[in-house]
Amino acid sequence: MMKTAGRWFLFTFLITFFWACGGDSPTPQPPQKTPEELAIEALTGTGTQAWSIAGGGSVTRSGTNVTDLYQNFELIMNSGSSKTYTTLNNNDLFDASGNWSFSGTNFDKFMLTGGKPAAGREISFTRTGDNLRLEFNIPAPGARINGVQAVAGSYVFNLSKK
């Protein structure tokens, strides 16, 4: 009788202990995002993100401030299946719209489609909070708009989340 009572007590104790501890099933962790997913999110937020000069942004070309030429510039990036972009007030440096894709596997550069000078260039980007910094170079050959306006140089666009 004593052996049965002792076993029953031990059995009850163990069941209560494991039940109180929640068993051995840890809380599942959400899947980790890939570097590409993180980069897409940096550029497009949760799907579409507008970036603007308004609110304190700036543009330099080869170290010279040219913000006045792009004062109402906007870049809208979409992360849909075709990764599209739209620009407003681009002063013919960018196409009005097209597609974008990452350049390489580090996911810190992208390229835009189109025929304007910024198209087909590797554009490095860095996002810090609500700010996006774009850096790219347009070499002298083919750096004219409508055969007259020279746009060659190293560009830095400092944009704010809109």
Side-chain angles (χ1 to χ4, degrees):
M1 178 82 171
M2 188 58 126
K3 280 187 173 182
T4 306
R7 286 185 187 157
W8 176 251
F9 174 78
L10 182 59
F11 176 76
T12 306
F13 173 78
L14 290 174
I15 294 296
T16 305
F17 176 78
F18 284 115
W19 178 74
C21 292
D24 56 344
S25 308
T27 304
Q29 296 296 316
Q32 294 292 324
K33 292 181 180 176
T34 66
E36 182 177 16
E37 289 170 328
L38 292 170
I40 290 170
E41 202 171 275
L43 291 170
T44 67
T46 58
T48 299
Q49 182 59 60
W51 299 97
S52 173
I53 293 292
S58 64
V59 181
T60 59
R61 182 179 81 202
S62 299
T64 302
N65 189 325
V66 292
T67 304
D68 59 323
L69 298 175
Y70 302 95
Q71 61 185 324
N72 296 313
F73 175 78
E74 285 186 34
L75 171 65
I76 301 125
M77 299 191 76
N78 184 300
S79 65
S81 59
S82 59
K83 292 186 178 88
T84 60
Y85 76 92
T86 304
T87 65
L88 304 170
N89 304 305
N90 59 45
N91 204 14
D92 283 330
L93 186 62
F94 298 88
D95 287 85
S97 63
N99 297 89
W100 66 273
S101 61
F102 287 111
S103 176
T105 57
N106 289 334
F107 305 111
D108 60 349
K109 295 178 180 79
F110 64 88
M111 295 176 76
L112 305 173
T113 62
K116 299 292 183 180
R121 311 283 175 212
E122 282 192 342
I123 300 174
S124 297
F125 73 92
T126 307
R127 180 170 177 184
T128 306
D130 289 343
N131 299 305
L132 182 68
R133 179 182 177 96
L134 306 178
E135 297 181 50
F136 58 97
N137 186 50
I138 298 176
R144 292 199 175 271
I145 297 174
N146 299 325
V148 293
Q149 183 184 4
V151 294
S154 297
Y155 285 83
V156 177
F157 277 70
N158 289 303
L159 307 172
S160 298
K161 188 175 178 181
K162 189 166 180 188

